[in-house]
Amino acid sequence: MNENRYRVAGMTCGHCLASVTEEVAEVPGVHEVTVDLAEETVLVRGRDLDDALIRAAVAEAGYTVTEPVAV
């Protein structure tokens, strides 16, 4: 299982959390998505994770990955 963590600015509420979780969960290979509003991070766990697809899913939810974060 792989883990990628991303810093995503602008997430402030439950709707933000739900939107990002829903979009990222649809990416092939993703098994788990954990959004931390206080830290403004998204942790993605899965197999053969595609960084570009995850970033695109975050963008589809209306946010931008500002930087990857070491796990």
Side-chain angles (χ1 to χ4, degrees):
M1 183 93 51
N2 302 59
E3 287 187 350
N4 292 355
R5 186 182 309 263
Y6 302 90
R7 185 159 319 279
V8 179
M11 299 183 300
T12 59
C13 66
H15 177 7
C16 302
L17 185 150
S19 295
V20 171
T21 300
E22 182 179 322
E23 291 295 335
V24 174
E26 293 180 9
V27 173
V30 171
H31 293 262
E32 182 181 346
V33 180
T34 305
V35 176
D36 185 326
L37 296 176
E39 295 292 323
E40 294 188 319
T41 60
V42 177
L43 176 64
V44 182
R45 291 185 179 101
R47 299 213 184 277
D48 301 320
L49 298 174
D50 186 321
D51 185 65
L53 289 178
I54 293 169
R55 288 171 180 265
V58 171
E60 184 67 28
Y63 303 92
T64 303
V65 172
T66 58
E67 63 185 87
V69 178
V71 176

